[in-house]
Coordinates of all heavy atoms in Angstrom, one line a residue:
M1 N 101.6 251.9 162.6 CA 100.8 253.0 163.3 C 101.2 254.3 162.6 O 102.3 254.4 162.1 CB 101.1 253.0 164.8 CG 100.1 253.7 165.5 SD 100.2 253.5 167.3 CE 99.6 251.9 167.6
D2 N 100.3 255.2 162.5 CA 100.6 256.4 161.8 C 101.4 257.4 162.7 O 101.6 257.1 163.9 CB 99.3 257.1 161.3 CG 98.4 257.6 162.4 OD1 98.7 257.3 163.5 OD2 97.5 258.3 162.0
E3 N 101.7 258.6 162.2 CA 102.5 259.5 163.0 C 101.8 260.1 164.2 O 102.5 260.5 165.1 CB 103.0 260.6 162.1 CG 101.8 261.4 161.5 CD 102.2 262.4 160.3 OE1 103.0 261.9 159.5 OE2 101.7 263.5 160.3
N4 N 100.5 260.1 164.3 CA 99.9 260.6 165.5 C 99.5 259.5 166.5 O 98.9 259.8 167.5 CB 98.6 261.4 165.1 CG 97.5 260.6 164.5 OD1 97.6 259.4 164.5 ND2 96.5 261.3 164.0
G5 N 99.9 258.3 166.2 CA 99.8 257.2 167.1 C 98.4 256.6 167.2 O 98.1 255.8 168.1
S6 N 97.5 256.9 166.3 CA 96.1 256.4 166.3 C 96.0 255.1 165.7 O 95.0 254.4 166.0 CB 95.2 257.4 165.6 OG 95.4 257.3 164.2
G7 N 96.9 254.6 164.9 CA 96.8 253.3 164.2 C 96.0 253.4 162.9 O 95.9 252.5 162.2
F8 N 95.5 254.6 162.6 CA 94.9 254.8 161.3 C 95.7 255.7 160.4 O 96.2 256.7 160.8 CB 93.5 255.5 161.6 CG 92.5 254.7 162.3 CD1 92.4 254.9 163.7 CD2 91.8 253.7 161.7 CE1 91.5 254.1 164.4 CE2 91.0 252.9 162.5 CZ 90.8 253.1 163.8
T9 N 96.0 255.2 159.2 CA 96.9 255.9 158.3 C 96.1 256.8 157.4 O 96.8 257.6 156.7 CB 97.7 254.9 157.5 OG1 96.8 254.0 156.8 CG2 98.6 254.1 158.4
K10 N 94.8 256.7 157.3 CA 94.1 257.6 156.4 C 92.6 257.7 156.9 O 92.2 257.0 157.9 CB 94.1 257.1 155.0 CG 93.5 255.7 154.9 CD 93.6 255.2 153.5 CE 93.1 253.7 153.4 NZ 93.1 253.2 152.1
N11 N 91.9 258.6 156.3 CA 90.5 258.7 156.7 C 89.7 257.4 156.3 O 90.1 256.8 155.3 CB 89.8 259.9 156.0 CG 90.4 261.2 156.5 OD1 90.8 261.3 157.6 ND2 90.3 262.2 155.7
I12 N 88.8 257.0 157.1 CA 88.1 255.8 156.9 C 86.7 256.2 156.4 O 86.0 257.0 157.0 CB 88.0 255.0 158.2 CG1 89.4 254.6 158.6 CG2 87.1 253.8 158.0 CD1 89.4 253.9 160.0
R13 N 86.3 255.5 155.3 CA 84.9 255.7 154.8 C 84.0 254.6 155.4 O 84.4 253.5 155.5 CB 84.9 255.5 153.3 CG 85.6 256.6 152.6 CD 85.4 256.5 151.1 NE 86.2 257.5 150.5 CZ 86.3 257.7 149.2 NH1 85.7 256.8 148.4 NH2 87.0 258.6 148.7
L14 N 82.9 255.1 156.0 CA 82.0 254.2 156.6 C 80.7 254.1 155.9 O 79.7 254.7 156.2 CB 81.8 254.6 158.1 CG 83.0 254.7 158.9 CD1 82.7 255.3 160.3 CD2 83.7 253.4 159.1
N15 N 80.7 253.4 154.7 CA 79.5 253.4 153.9 C 78.8 252.1 154.0 O 77.6 252.0 153.6 CB 80.0 253.5 152.4 CG 80.7 254.9 152.2 OD1 80.2 255.9 152.7 ND2 81.7 254.9 151.4
R16 N 79.4 251.0 154.5 CA 78.8 249.7 154.6 C 79.0 249.1 155.9 O 79.9 249.5 156.6 CB 79.4 248.8 153.5 CG 79.3 249.3 152.1 CD 80.1 248.4 151.1 NE 81.5 248.4 151.6 CZ 82.4 247.4 151.3 NH1 82.0 246.3 150.7 NH2 83.6 247.5 151.7
P17 N 78.2 248.2 156.3 CA 78.4 247.5 157.6 C 79.8 246.9 157.7 O 80.4 246.9 158.8 CB 77.3 246.4 157.7 CG 76.2 246.9 156.8 CD 76.9 247.7 155.7
Q18 N 80.3 246.4 156.6 CA 81.7 245.8 156.7 C 82.7 246.9 157.0 O 83.7 246.6 157.7 CB 82.0 245.2 155.3 CG 81.2 244.0 154.9 CD 79.9 244.4 154.2 OE1 79.4 245.6 154.3 NE2 79.2 243.5 153.6
D19 N 82.5 248.1 156.6 CA 83.4 249.2 156.9 C 83.4 249.5 158.4 O 84.5 249.7 159.0 CB 83.1 250.5 156.2 CG 83.1 250.3 154.7 OD1 83.8 249.5 154.2 OD2 82.4 251.1 154.0
I20 N 82.2 249.5 159.0 CA 82.1 249.7 160.5 C 82.8 248.6 161.2 O 83.6 248.8 162.1 CB 80.6 249.7 160.9 CG1 79.8 250.8 160.1 CG2 80.5 249.8 162.4 CD1 80.2 252.2 160.5
R21 N 82.6 247.3 160.8 CA 83.2 246.2 161.4 C 84.7 246.3 161.4 O 85.4 246.0 162.4 CB 82.7 244.9 160.8 CG 83.1 243.7 161.5 CD 82.5 242.4 160.9 NE 83.0 242.2 159.6 CZ 82.2 242.0 158.5 NH1 80.9 242.0 158.6 NH2 82.7 241.8 157.3
R22 N 85.3 246.7 160.3 CA 86.7 246.8 160.1 C 87.3 247.9 161.0 O 88.3 247.7 161.7 CB 87.1 247.1 158.6 CG 88.5 247.0 158.3 CD 88.8 247.3 156.8 NE 88.1 246.3 156.0 CZ 87.1 246.7 155.2 NH1 86.7 247.9 155.1 NH2 86.5 245.8 154.4
M23 N 86.6 249.0 161.1 CA 87.1 250.1 161.9 C 87.0 249.8 163.4 O 87.9 250.0 164.1 CB 86.2 251.4 161.6 CG 86.7 252.6 162.3 SD 85.9 253.2 163.8 CE 84.2 252.9 163.5
V24 N 85.9 249.1 163.8 CA 85.7 248.8 165.2 C 86.8 247.7 165.6 O 87.4 247.8 166.7 CB 84.3 248.2 165.4 CG1 84.2 247.5 166.8 CG2 83.3 249.3 165.3
G25 N 87.1 246.8 164.7 CA 88.2 245.8 164.9 C 89.5 246.5 165.1 O 90.3 246.1 166.1
K26 N 89.8 247.5 164.3 CA 91.1 248.2 164.5 C 91.1 248.9 165.9 O 92.2 248.9 166.6 CB 91.3 249.2 163.4 CG 91.6 248.6 162.1 CD 91.8 249.7 161.0 CE 92.2 249.1 159.7 NZ 92.4 250.1 158.6
V27 N 90.0 249.6 166.3 CA 90.0 250.3 167.5 C 90.1 249.3 168.7 O 90.9 249.5 169.6 CB 88.7 251.1 167.7 CG1 88.6 251.7 169.1 CG2 88.7 252.2 166.6
I28 N 89.5 248.2 168.6 CA 89.6 247.1 169.7 C 91.0 246.7 169.8 O 91.6 246.6 170.9 CB 88.6 246.0 169.4 CG1 87.2 246.4 169.7 CG2 89.0 244.8 170.3 CD1 86.1 245.4 169.3
N29 N 91.7 246.4 168.7 CA 93.1 246.0 168.7 C 94.0 247.0 169.3 O 94.9 246.7 170.1 CB 93.6 245.6 167.3 CG 93.0 244.3 166.8 OD1 92.9 243.4 167.6 ND2 92.7 244.2 165.6
I30 N 93.7 248.3 169.0 CA 94.5 249.4 169.6 C 94.3 249.4 171.1 O 95.3 249.5 171.9 CB 94.2 250.7 169.0 CG1 94.7 250.8 167.5 CG2 94.8 251.9 169.8 CD1 94.1 251.9 166.7
L31 N 93.1 249.3 171.6 CA 92.8 249.3 173.0 C 93.5 248.1 173.7 O 94.0 248.2 174.8 CB 91.3 249.2 173.2 CG 90.5 250.5 172.9 CD1 89.0 250.3 173.0 CD2 90.9 251.6 173.9
L32 N 93.4 246.9 173.1 CA 94.0 245.7 173.7 C 95.6 245.8 173.8 O 96.2 245.3 174.7 CB 93.7 244.5 172.9 CG 92.2 244.0 173.0 CD1 91.9 242.9 172.0 CD2 91.9 243.6 174.4
Q33 N 96.2 246.6 172.9 CA 97.6 246.7 172.9 C 98.1 247.8 173.7 O 99.3 248.0 174.0 CB 98.1 246.8 171.4 CG 97.9 245.6 170.6 CD 98.2 245.9 169.1 OE1 98.7 246.9 168.8 NE2 97.8 244.9 168.3
D34 N 97.2 248.7 174.2 CA 97.6 249.9 174.9 C 97.6 249.7 176.4 O 96.6 250.1 177.0 CB 96.6 251.0 174.4 CG 97.0 252.4 175.0 OD1 98.2 252.6 175.1 OD2 96.1 253.1 175.4
G35 N 98.6 249.2 177.0 CA 98.8 249.2 178.4 C 97.9 248.1 179.1 O 97.4 247.2 178.4
E36 N 97.7 248.3 180.4 CA 96.9 247.3 181.1 C 95.4 247.5 180.9 O 94.9 248.6 180.5 CB 97.2 247.4 182.6 CG 96.7 248.7 183.3 CD 97.0 248.7 184.8 OE1 98.2 248.9 185.1 OE2 96.1 248.5 185.6
M37 N 94.7 246.4 181.2 CA 93.2 246.4 181.0 C 92.6 247.1 182.2 O 93.0 246.8 183.4 CB 92.7 245.0 180.9 CG 91.2 244.9 180.7 SD 90.6 245.7 179.2 CE 91.5 244.7 177.9
T38 N 91.7 248.1 182.0 CA 91.0 248.7 183.0 C 89.5 248.4 182.8 O 89.1 247.9 181.8 CB 91.2 250.3 182.9 OG1 90.7 250.7 181.7 CG2 92.7 250.6 183.0
I39 N 88.7 248.7 183.8 CA 87.3 248.5 183.7 C 86.7 249.4 182.6 O 85.9 248.9 181.8 CB 86.6 248.8 185.1 CG1 87.0 247.8 186.1 CG2 85.1 248.9 184.9 CD1 86.5 248.1 187.5
D40 N 87.1 250.6 182.5 CA 86.6 251.5 181.4 C 87.0 250.9 180.0 O 86.2 250.9 179.1 CB 87.1 252.9 181.6 CG 86.5 253.6 182.7 OD1 85.3 253.2 183.1 OD2 87.0 254.6 183.2
K41 N 88.2 250.4 179.9 CA 88.7 249.9 178.6 C 87.9 248.6 178.3 O 87.5 248.4 177.2 CB 90.2 249.6 178.7 CG 90.7 249.3 177.3 CD 92.2 248.9 177.4 CE 93.1 250.0 177.8 NZ 94.5 249.7 177.7
A42 N 87.6 247.8 179.3 CA 86.9 246.6 179.1 C 85.4 246.9 178.7 O 84.9 246.2 177.8 CB 86.9 245.7 180.4
K43 N 84.8 247.9 179.3 CA 83.5 248.3 178.9 C 83.4 248.8 177.5 O 82.5 248.5 176.7 CB 83.0 249.4 179.9 CG 82.6 248.8 181.3 CD 82.2 250.0 182.2 CE 81.9 249.5 183.6 NZ 81.4 250.6 184.5
T44 N 84.5 249.6 177.1 CA 84.5 250.1 175.8 C 84.7 249.0 174.8 O 84.0 249.0 173.7 CB 85.7 251.1 175.6 OG1 85.5 252.2 176.6 CG2 85.8 251.7 174.2
I45 N 85.5 248.0 175.1 CA 85.7 246.9 174.2 C 84.4 246.1 174.0 O 84.0 245.7 172.9 CB 86.9 246.0 174.6 CG1 88.2 246.8 174.4 CG2 86.9 244.7 173.9 CD1 89.4 246.1 175.1
A46 N 83.7 245.9 175.1 CA 82.4 245.2 175.1 C 81.4 245.9 174.2 O 80.7 245.3 173.4 CB 81.9 245.0 176.5
T47 N 81.3 247.2 174.4 CA 80.4 248.0 173.6 C 80.8 248.0 172.1 O 79.9 247.8 171.2 CB 80.4 249.5 174.0 OG1 80.0 249.5 175.4 CG2 79.5 250.4 173.2
L48 N 82.1 248.1 171.8 CA 82.5 248.0 170.4 C 82.3 246.6 169.8 O 82.0 246.5 168.6 CB 84.0 248.4 170.3 CG 84.4 249.8 170.6 CD1 85.9 250.0 170.7 CD2 83.8 250.7 169.5
S49 N 82.5 245.6 170.6 CA 82.2 244.2 170.2 C 80.7 244.0 169.8 O 80.4 243.4 168.8 CB 82.6 243.2 171.3 OG 84.0 243.3 171.5
N50 N 79.8 244.6 170.6 CA 78.4 244.6 170.3 C 78.1 245.3 169.0 O 77.3 244.9 168.2 CB 77.6 245.1 171.4 CG 77.5 244.2 172.6 OD1 77.4 242.9 172.4 ND2 77.4 244.7 173.8
T51 N 78.8 246.4 168.8 CA 78.6 247.2 167.5 C 79.1 246.3 166.3 O 78.5 246.3 165.3 CB 79.4 248.5 167.6 OG1 78.9 249.3 168.7 CG2 79.3 249.3 166.3
A52 N 80.2 245.6 166.5 CA 80.8 244.8 165.4 C 79.8 243.7 165.1 O 79.5 243.4 164.0 CB 82.1 244.2 165.8
L53 N 79.2 243.0 166.2 CA 78.2 242.0 165.9 C 77.0 242.5 165.2 O 76.5 241.8 164.3 CB 77.8 241.3 167.3 CG 78.8 240.4 167.9 CD1 78.3 240.1 169.4 CD2 79.1 239.2 167.1
K54 N 76.5 243.6 165.6 CA 75.4 244.2 164.9 C 75.7 244.5 163.4 O 74.9 244.3 162.6 CB 74.9 245.5 165.6 CG 73.6 246.0 165.2 CD 72.5 245.0 165.5 CE 71.2 245.7 165.4 NZ 70.1 244.7 165.7
S55 N 76.9 245.0 163.2 CA 77.2 245.3 161.8 C 77.3 244.0 161.0 O 77.0 244.0 159.8 CB 78.5 246.1 161.7 OG 79.6 245.4 162.0
M56 N 77.8 242.9 161.6 CA 77.8 241.7 160.9 C 76.4 241.2 160.5 O 76.2 240.7 159.4 CB 78.5 240.6 161.8 CG 80.0 240.8 161.9 SD 80.6 239.5 163.0 CE 82.1 240.2 163.5
E57 N 75.5 241.3 161.5 CA 74.1 240.9 161.3 C 73.5 241.8 160.1 O 72.9 241.2 159.2 CB 73.3 241.1 162.5 CG 73.6 240.2 163.6 CD 72.9 240.5 164.9 OE1 72.2 241.5 165.0 OE2 73.2 239.8 165.9
L58 N 73.8 243.1 160.2 CA 73.2 243.9 159.1 C 73.8 243.6 157.8 O 73.1 243.7 156.7 CB 73.4 245.4 159.5 CG 72.6 245.9 160.7 CD1 73.0 247.3 161.1 CD2 71.1 245.8 160.4
G59 N 75.1 243.4 157.7 CA 75.8 243.0 156.5 C 75.2 241.7 155.9 O 75.0 241.7 154.7
D60 N 75.0 240.7 156.7 CA 74.4 239.5 156.3 C 73.0 239.7 155.8 O 72.7 239.1 154.7 CB 74.4 238.4 157.4 CG 75.8 238.0 157.8 OD1 76.8 238.2 157.0 OD2 75.9 237.4 158.9
L61 N 72.2 240.4 156.5 CA 70.9 240.7 156.0 C 70.8 241.5 154.7 O 70.0 241.2 153.8 CB 70.1 241.5 157.1 CG 69.7 240.7 158.3 CD1 69.0 241.7 159.3 CD2 68.7 239.6 157.9
A62 N 71.7 242.4 154.5 CA 71.8 243.2 153.3 C 72.1 242.3 152.1 O 71.5 242.4 151.0 CB 72.8 244.3 153.4
E63 N 73.1 241.4 152.3 CA 73.5 240.4 151.3 C 72.3 239.5 150.9 O 72.0 239.3 149.7 CB 74.6 239.6 151.7 CG 76.0 240.3 151.7 CD 77.1 239.5 152.2 OE1 77.0 238.2 152.1 OE2 78.1 240.0 152.7
R64 N 71.6 239.1 151.9 CA 70.4 238.2 151.6 C 69.3 238.9 150.9 O 68.7 238.4 150.0 CB 69.9 237.6 153.0 CG 70.9 236.6 153.6 CD 70.4 236.2 155.0 NE 69.2 235.4 154.9 CZ 68.5 235.1 155.9 NH1 68.9 235.4 157.1 NH2 67.3 234.4 155.8
I65 N 69.1 240.1 151.3 CA 68.0 240.9 150.6 C 68.4 241.2 149.2 O 67.6 241.1 148.3 CB 67.8 242.3 151.4 CG1 67.1 242.0 152.7 CG2 67.0 243.2 150.5 CD1 67.0 243.1 153.6
N66 N 69.7 241.5 148.9 CA 70.2 241.7 147.5 C 70.0 240.5 146.7 O 69.5 240.6 145.5 CB 71.6 242.2 147.5 CG 71.8 243.6 148.0 OD1 70.9 244.4 147.9 ND2 73.0 243.9 148.5
K67 N 70.3 239.3 147.2 CA 70.1 238.1 146.5 C 68.6 237.8 146.2 O 68.3 237.5 145.0 CB 70.7 236.9 147.3 CG 72.2 236.8 147.3 CD 72.7 235.6 148.1 CE 74.2 235.6 148.2 NZ 74.7 234.5 149.0
I68 N 67.8 238.1 147.1 CA 66.3 237.9 146.9 C 65.8 238.8 145.9 O 65.0 238.5 145.0 CB 65.6 238.0 148.3 CG1 65.9 236.9 149.2 CG2 64.1 238.1 148.0 CD1 65.4 237.0 150.6
E69 N 66.3 240.1 145.9 CA 65.8 241.1 145.0 C 66.3 240.7 143.6 O 65.5 240.8 142.6 CB 66.4 242.5 145.3 CG 65.7 243.1 146.5 CD 66.3 244.4 146.9 OE1 67.5 244.7 146.6 OE2 65.6 245.2 147.6
K70 N 67.5 240.2 143.4 CA 68.0 239.8 142.1 C 67.2 238.6 141.6 O 66.8 238.6 140.4 CB 69.5 239.4 142.2 CG 70.4 240.6 142.3 CD 71.9 240.2 142.4 CE 72.7 241.4 142.6 NZ 74.2 241.0 142.7
M71 N 66.9 237.7 142.5 CA 66.1 236.5 142.0 C 64.7 237.0 141.6 O 64.1 236.5 140.6 CB 65.9 235.5 143.2 CG 67.2 234.7 143.5 SD 67.2 233.7 144.9 CE 65.6 232.9 144.8
F72 N 64.1 237.9 142.4 CA 62.7 238.4 142.1 C 62.8 239.1 140.8 O 61.9 238.9 139.9 CB 62.3 239.3 143.2 CG 60.9 239.8 143.0 CD1 59.8 239.0 143.2 CD2 60.7 241.2 142.6 CE1 58.5 239.5 143.0 CE2 59.5 241.7 142.4 CZ 58.3 240.9 142.6
N73 N 63.8 240.0 140.5 CA 63.8 240.8 139.3 C 64.1 239.9 138.1 O 63.7 240.3 137.0 CB 64.9 241.9 139.5 CG 64.5 243.0 140.4 OD1 63.3 243.2 140.6 ND2 65.4 243.6 141.0
S74 N 64.8 238.9 138.3 CA 65.1 238.0 137.1 C 63.9 237.2 136.7 O 63.8 236.7 135.6 CB 66.3 237.1 137.4 OG 65.9 236.1 138.4
Q75 N 62.9 237.0 137.6 CA 61.7 236.3 137.2 C 60.7 237.1 136.6 O 59.7 236.6 136.1 CB 61.2 235.6 138.5 CG 62.1 234.5 139.1 CD 61.5 234.0 140.4 OE1 60.5 234.4 140.8 NE2 62.2 233.0 140.9
E76 N 60.8 238.4 136.5 CA 59.8 239.3 136.0 C 59.9 239.3 134.5 O 60.7 239.0 133.8 CB 60.0 240.7 136.5 CG 59.7 240.9 137.9 CD 59.8 242.3 138.4 OE1 60.4 243.2 137.7 OE2 59.4 242.6 139.5

């Protein structure tokens, strides 16, 4: 953990869906380790989990589109 207790040691770049997923995972882990579970904390974790799932879907779609584009461009 860093000196301010946030769990983040540097600024995070959020340029790709994978970056979002990694950041959300860190925040969820911090919430899970921080004291007892509350309703608000559980709701926040659920929301962040949905965000992580969406970023996974978007990352997978982006990879598939890139592969299709490469195949299409190589056939020209």
Side-chain angles (χ1 to χ4, degrees):
M1 203 169 281
D2 70 349
E3 61 193 43
N4 66 9
S6 71
F8 296 99
T9 57
K10 58 183 176 179
N11 292 334
I12 298 173
R13 292 184 184 181
L14 302 174
N15 300 321
R16 303 172 301 151
Q18 296 86 343
D19 301 333
I20 302 291
R21 188 174 65 232
R22 188 176 305 111
M23 189 260 320
V24 167
K26 287 181 180 182
V27 172
I28 289 172
N29 284 324
I30 290 167
L31 287 171
L32 289 171
Q33 295 170 7
D34 184 37
E36 72 177 73
M37 183 60 62
T38 63
I39 291 173
D40 286 339
K41 192 185 293 189
K43 287 178 182 179
T44 301
I45 290 170
T47 301
L48 291 171
S49 296
N50 285 326
T51 301
L53 286 172
K54 190 64 165 180
S55 71
M56 288 178 201
E57 292 171 0
L58 290 174
D60 291 344
L61 285 174
E63 287 178 24
R64 291 174 64 191
I65 289 170
N66 285 335
K67 286 180 184 178
I68 291 169
E69 287 176 341
K70 286 179 183 177
M71 288 173 42
F72 181 75
N73 288 335
S74 68
Q75 292 178 359
E76 290 181 349

